[in-house]
Each structure stands twice: as structure tokens, then as C-alpha cells.
């Protein structure tokens, strides 16, 4: 006796075969695609069954796409918005260098550590649900940051804000992957890449404007400027919540995997033991704990890989399945995303410090100096899909070369014109660099996720955003530490020039690695 399972339309048909006799248990609908194995159990949530739907598949409309992109922008804006506000935070709260570093690092560490877990939870509980929870938590923690009475309270609120961002952001990519297809998905991914790049630049611009304008000065007095950069998130998050309820479809994985507790803890240990000492070491004077932490990092990383590989071989679903990294597109894309993000994160931090402390620019002027980069990035992002159809992944190579020219022009400008530089002198190098960045980042996002199955959309998005966020933080830690360490002995001009040359080396690595990408981009 044999059991054959058939699926057709909305019916599941069991055919029991005994020699020449066949009995059907469900319907006379003509069978399609016989199999000797039973079908996967259906999700109890009809609106979110991945690629198999009994009813109309979830569709992300234009307003829904705007809403999730708003959710993608907020965490990245807030990673960079504090760069130009650090001097006023120090003055108002008497924070000191070490606590100022924690204001930046606490957010970045919590964000990076929990991103993959946030993607897994969205696959399990529903991505819109986690998006709403993350958006609400982000608004509340932003309020806590804006009302912080002292430096340690601000650090704690920033850590909580990073955790809220980690719940929200992975749902954006997962929703796009699950609720769009074909040309609409390509367009949505390009817009996501444009949003990510613009958010990093706009965060610095917005921070400078808010610190200078101090719109809440009647309430908070001299501290209104830096408090405004956090409090502005509260109404934005409220609007996002209202829109998300009615415009973002609910999606989740057909077969969500349980949380990988050991993998989560080991990933957290790996990131913390690397990023915490690199970020805090210089400001704290490189105490013993920083060296112990760096020494523990390779052991934590190896343990994480072995635990994940063993779980993968046993048929479980680890936090970061090594089998997922066997996808060429994902592996090669992540390999390029690391040096790109390291250079980008380090550049944005260093330029904010150099313009304010070296050229005595106000926070508003330092922020607005990034306007040419934002405009060029946005223009390149809009042209990206058309260029990709014609030239494929070579757009990334061209973008890296253009960015390299921009950074080289900026380094030459700094070397020859310091300290008499203004916005007009800085404009060519910054604009050219922004143009090159806009040609790269959206394409890299598309490449990384192009072959990730829909049911693993949350996991793939979490891996990508974790890599990006950890690399941004690593850029601030490494290039920022290099710059600040050189300033006392070499001076601001030479320190900035050397740091820009170090970024140029990261760009050269990106360009060389891009030649290994498959030419076609789906």
C-alpha cells in the first residue's frame, strides 16, 4: 500500500494505492505534482505563508513601502545624528571622553548584537507585529534619551534605543522580500539602499541643524539642542505606527525556527569583545580589560562558528546558518559590504570632528557640509536600477573608482588648503565621493539578498544589517581612533589626511573584490 499526496488549487489530496485500487480522500480535482511525502503543514496565519498562499498573497503598496522605509531610516539616522552633538552633550552633562564614546558605542553595540535575533523573531511572530513593537519602543527610548538627566542615564537609554532599532530594522527587508516581486522588488531594494545611504548622511545634517536651532530652548534651556535630536523621533515614530497598522501587510515564515540561544549569546560575545575595547580603549587609556577583551574575541568567534556549523549539520536552524553563507551572492556581497561600511562609518565620524574642532565650524555648518554628498548619493541611487540592467555588477566597480577619486580629491584639498577651507572648497571631493557611494550601496543590498529564499527573508536581512552595522561601528572605532590618536602629535590637517588615505585603502579593497561578483544582478 502506498500513500501519494497531491496539491492542486486549495485542495490537498491523499491517494491510497493498493495494486490497482485507488481511493481519494478529498476531491476529484485533477492532481498536480505527485509526491510520496506529505506536504509541509500550513501556517495558521493565512495572510503570511511565504510563497504558498491559499488566498491573495500579501502585497506591499506604495504607502506601505514608504512606511517601512521610514522605519529603516530612523535607526541609521540616530547612529550618526549624535556625531555633531557630542561637544554640546559633553558641555551640558560633563560626560567626559569615555562616556561620550559610550553614547555612540552603546547604541551601536546593542543594535549590532540583536539584529539577527530581531530578524528571527519577525519570522516567528510576524514581521509587521515586530515592526510595530520596535517602532513603539524606539519612540519611547528616544523620549528617554531626550529627557536623560545625566550622562549615565543617556548611555542606558541609548542602549535600549539600539535594542529597539534591532527589532524594527530587520522586518523592513524581510517585508520587502516577502511582499514584493520582480520589478517592484528591484525598485524597492534600490529605494532601500538609497534610504540607508541618505539616512547616514542626513543624520549628521539633521543633527547639526537641530543642535544649532535648539527648537525646544524655552523648555530645556541650553541643553535643548542635543535633546532635540532625540525628541524629534517621538512624533515620527507615532506617525510610523499609525501608517504601519493600515499599510504594512503581515508576513512570517512558513516554518519559523526557534530562537538559537547559544548562537545568540556567542554572537553577542564576539561582537562585544571586539567592538567594546576598540571603541572605548583610547578614551579610557587602554586599561587591562580592553586587552583581555580583544584576546577573547577570536575564541568567541571560533566558538560561535563551530556551534552554528554543528547545529546546521544536525538539521536545526542556527542563528546564522553556515549553509546560508554558501550562497555566492550573499557571501560575495557581504565581503564588499564590510570594507565599504568601515570606510563610510569612519569617514562620517572623523569629518564631523575635523570640521568642528579643526575648522571651527558650527554644528549646523558641519552638518550642512554633507549636503553635496546626500544630493549626489540620491541621484546615483535613482539611476542605479537602469545602470544595473545595462552593466550589471560592474556598477559597483565603477562606483568604487568614483568614490576613490572623490576621497583623493578631498585629501588633496585638505592637504593644500587647511585651515582656510570652507564649504565651497570641500564641495567637489564630498560630492564625487557621494556619487560613488550611491552607485555601490543599493546594488550591494540587492546582491546580498538576491538568492535568499522568501521564508528566510528575516534571517537574510538580519545577517546583512548586522554585518553593515558592525562594520559601521568598526569604522568609527578604527578610523576614529587612528584620527584622534594622530591629532596631538601630527595636527588636525595631517591626521585627517592620513585617515582619508586609510579610507582610500578600504575603497581599493572594495573595488578589487567587486570584480569577483557575478555580472548579472537579479
Amino acid at each position: 500500500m502506498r500513500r501519494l499526496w497531491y496539491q492542486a488549487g486549495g485542495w490537498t489530496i491523499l491517494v491510497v494505492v493498493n495494486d490497482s485500487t485507488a481511493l481519494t480522500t478529498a476531491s476529484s480535482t485533477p492532481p498536480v505534482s505527485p509526491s510520496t511525502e506529505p506536504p509541509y503543514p500550513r501556517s495558521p496565519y493565512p495572510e503570511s505563508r511565504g510563497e504558498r498562499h491559499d488566498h491573495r498573497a500579501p502585497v506591499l503598496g506604495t504607502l506601505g513601502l514608504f512606511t517601512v522605509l521610514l522605519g529603516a531610516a530612523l535607526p541609521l539616522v540616530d547612529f550618526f545624528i549624535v556625531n555633531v552633538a557630542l561637544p554640546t552633550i559633553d558641555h551640558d552633562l560633563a560626560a567626559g571622553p569615555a562616556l561620550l564614546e559610550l553614547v555612540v558605542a552603546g547604541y551601536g553595540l546593542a543594535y549590532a548584537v540583536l539584529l539577527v535575533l530581531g530578524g528571527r523573531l519577525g519570522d516567528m511572530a510576524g514581521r509587521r507585529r515586530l515592526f510595530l513593537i520596535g517602532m513603539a519602543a524606539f519612540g519611547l527610548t528616544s523620549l528617554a534619551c531626550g529627557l536623560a538627566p545625566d550622562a549615565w542615564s543617556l548611555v542606558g537609554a541609548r542602549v535600549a534605543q539600539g535594542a529597539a532599532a534591532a527589532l524594527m530594522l530587520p522586518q523592513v527587508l524581510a517585508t520587502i522580500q516577502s511582499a514584493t516581486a520582480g520589478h517592484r522588488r528591484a525598485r524597492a531594494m534600490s529605494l532601500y539602499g538609497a534610504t540607508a545611504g541618505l539616512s547616514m548622511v542626513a543624520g549628521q545634517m539633521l543633527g547639526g541643524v537641530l543642535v544649532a536651532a535648539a527648537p525646544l530652548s524655552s523648555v530645556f534651556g541650553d541643553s535643548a539642542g542635543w535633546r532635540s535630536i532625540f525628541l524629534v523621533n517621538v512624533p515620527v515614530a507615532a506617525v510610523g505606527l499609525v501608517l504601519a497598522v493600515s499599510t504594512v501587510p503581515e508576513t512570517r515564515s512558513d516554518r519559523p525556527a526557534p530562537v538559537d540561544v547559544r548562537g545568540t549569546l556567542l554572537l553577542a560575545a564576539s561582537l562585544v569583545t571586539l567592538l567594546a575595547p576598540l571603541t572605548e580603549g583610547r578614551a579610557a587609556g587602554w586599561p587591562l580589560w580592553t586587552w583581555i577583551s580583544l584576546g577573547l574575541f577570536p575564541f568567541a568567534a571560533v566558538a560561535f562558528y563551530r556551534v552554528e556549523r554543528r547545529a546546521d549539520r544536525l538539521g536545526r536552524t542556527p542563528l546564522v546558518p553556515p549553509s546560508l553563507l554558501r550562497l555566492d551572492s550573499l557571501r560575495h556581497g557581504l565581503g564588499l559590504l564590510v570594507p565599504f561600511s568601515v570606510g563610510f562609518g569612519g569617514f562620517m565620524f572623523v569629518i564631523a570632528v575635523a570640521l568642528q574642532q579643526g575648522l571651527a565650524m558650527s554644528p549646523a555648518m558641519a552638518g550642512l557640509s554633507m549636503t553635496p554628498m546626500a544630493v549626489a548619493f540620491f541621484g546615483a541611487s535613482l539611476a542605479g536600477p537602469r545602470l544595473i540592467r545595462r552593466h550589471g555588477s560592474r556598477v559597483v566597480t565603477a562606483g568604487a573608482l568614483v568614490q576613490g577619486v572623490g576621497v583623493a580629491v578631498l585629501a588633496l584639498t585638505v592637504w593644500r588648503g587647511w585651515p582656510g577651507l570652507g564649504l565651497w572648497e570641500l564641495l567637489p571631493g564630498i560630492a564625487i565621493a557621494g556619487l560613488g557611494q550611491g552607485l555601490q550601496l543599493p546594488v550591494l543590498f540587492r546582491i546580498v539578498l538576491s538568492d535568499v529564499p522568501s521564508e528566510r527573508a528575516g534571517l537574510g536581512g538580519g545577517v546583512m544589517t548586522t554585518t553593515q552595522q558592525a562594520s559601521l561601528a568598526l569604522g568609527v572605532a578604527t578610523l576614529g581612533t587612528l584620527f584622534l590618536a594622530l591629532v596631538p602629535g601630527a595636527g588636525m590637517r595631517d591626521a585627517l589626511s592620513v585617515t582619508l588615505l586609510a579610507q582610500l585603502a578600504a575603497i581599493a579593497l572594495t573595488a578589487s573584490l567587486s570584480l569577483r561578483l557575478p555580472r548579472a544582478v537579479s
Side-chain angles (χ1 to χ4, degrees):
M1 180 179 293
R2 291 181 299 148
R3 287 183 172 88
L4 298 180
W5 294 84
Y6 293 75
Q7 285 186 305
W11 293 93
T12 299
I13 308 164
L14 171 61
V15 180
V16 183
V17 180
N18 185 6
D19 298 326
S20 60
T21 303
L23 300 174
T24 63
T25 64
S27 167
S28 58
T29 305
V32 178
S33 302
S35 169
T36 58
E37 297 295 330
Y40 292 117
R42 295 186 179 186
S43 166
Y45 307 97
E47 74 277 16
S48 57
R49 292 177 184 158
E51 294 303 309
R52 298 186 301 277
H53 301 281
D54 289 331
H55 305 291
R56 184 170 59 88
V59 175
L60 185 66
T62 301
L63 189 56
L65 178 61
F66 169 80
T67 304
V68 295
L69 292 180
L70 178 66
L74 281 175
L76 289 169
V77 165
D78 265 61
F79 183 80
F80 289 94
I81 200 170
V82 298
N83 283 347
V84 293
L86 290 175
T88 56
I89 293 174
D90 186 22
H91 177 268
D92 188 56
L93 299 181
L99 280 181
L100 284 179
E101 294 280 0
L102 275 178
V103 170
V104 179
Y107 177 87
L109 280 172
Y111 188 19
V113 164
L114 297 174
L115 273 167
V116 179
L117 179 61
R120 175 68 61 83
L121 292 175
D123 288 347
M124 294 173 59
R127 290 151 188 155
R128 181 178 66 177
R129 180 181 299 176
L130 263 292
F131 183 83
L132 291 170
I133 293 172
M135 180 76 78
F138 193 84
L140 291 174
T141 52
S142 296
L143 179 64
C145 289
L147 300 179
D150 53 58
W152 278 109
S153 298
L154 179 58
V155 169
R158 283 284 283 173
V159 171
Q161 190 186 35
L167 290 180
M168 178 170 56
L169 185 62
Q171 319 315 326
V172 176
L173 283 169
T175 299
I176 289 174
Q177 287 288 97
S178 300
T180 61
H183 174 70
R184 292 186 67 254
R185 179 181 294 177
R187 176 175 170 271
M189 287 302 301
S190 294
L191 288 174
Y192 176 86
T195 301
L198 282 174
S199 298
M200 291 186 274
V201 180
Q204 213 137 299
M205 295 166 54
L206 181 63
V209 171
L210 288 174
V211 169
L216 299 174
S217 57
S218 60
V219 180
F220 296 107
D222 293 339
S223 67
W226 72 262
R227 294 184 188 277
S228 298
I229 68 175
F230 299 116
L231 294 177
V232 71
N233 294 328
V234 178
V236 176
V239 171
L241 281 171
V242 172
L243 290 175
V245 169
S246 58
T247 64
V248 177
E250 181 65 286
T251 63
R252 53 170 59 78
S253 175
D254 281 351
R255 290 166 287 165
V259 173
D260 177 10
V261 176
R262 287 197 299 173
T264 301
L265 293 176
L266 286 171
L267 176 63
S270 301
L271 292 175
V272 169
T273 52
L274 174 65
L275 296 178
L278 289 178
T279 304
E280 281 291 296
R282 185 200 61 83
W286 297 104
L288 179 61
W289 73 263
T290 59
W291 300 108
I292 293 175
S293 182
L294 287 172
L296 291 175
F297 164 69
F299 295 100
V302 169
F304 171 69
Y305 175 75
R306 288 183 174 177
V307 165
E308 299 298 274
R309 184 179 61 179
R310 183 172 183 272
D312 214 7
R313 287 177 174 175
L314 293 175
R316 303 168 188 162
T317 305
L319 188 71
V320 181
S323 59
L324 192 66
L325 299 177
R326 287 200 291 267
L327 295 173
D328 288 341
S329 56
L330 185 138
R331 187 174 65 255
H332 291 315
L334 291 180
L336 270 74
L337 192 60
V338 169
F340 177 90
S341 299
V342 166
F344 201 150
F347 172 82
M348 296 301 291
F349 174 80
V350 167
I351 202 71
V353 175
L355 294 184
Q356 290 185 84
Q357 296 185 3
L359 297 181
M361 287 188 181
S362 67
M365 290 295 289
L368 290 175
S369 67
M370 295 293 102
T371 302
M373 177 175 285
V375 172
F377 191 106
F378 185 66
S381 299
L382 292 180
R386 184 173 65 255
L387 294 172
I388 292 168
R389 286 194 295 271
R390 294 182 60 183
H391 305 291
S393 63
R394 293 300 174 261
V395 174
V396 178
T397 308
L401 294 176
V402 172
Q403 184 190 6
V405 170
V407 172
V409 168
L410 185 60
L412 183 62
T413 302
V414 168
W415 180 262
R416 297 181 60 181
W418 196 274
L421 298 176
L423 296 183
W424 288 107
E425 290 80 11
L426 296 171
L427 186 150
I430 288 176
I432 296 171
L435 181 67
Q437 291 165 345
L439 290 174
Q440 295 174 80
L441 192 61
V443 185
L444 288 178
F445 286 160
R446 282 182 60 177
I447 290 171
V448 169
L449 297 177
S450 59
D451 294 328
V452 176
S454 178
E455 64 271 12
R456 284 187 159 187
L459 178 59
V463 170
M464 187 186 78
T465 48
T466 296
T467 302
Q468 181 194 19
Q469 183 59 37
S471 300
L472 289 172
L474 187 61
V476 173
T478 53
L479 294 182
T481 297
L482 172 65
F483 171 74
L484 294 173
L486 289 174
V487 168
M492 191 72 70
R493 184 198 70 169
D494 291 355
L496 181 56
S497 299
V498 170
T499 306
L500 289 173
L501 292 177
Q503 186 193 2
L504 201 57
I507 295 170
L509 178 60
T510 303
S512 62
L513 291 174
S514 69
L515 297 175
R516 301 175 58 188
L517 293 172
R519 185 66 179 266
V521 179
S522 59

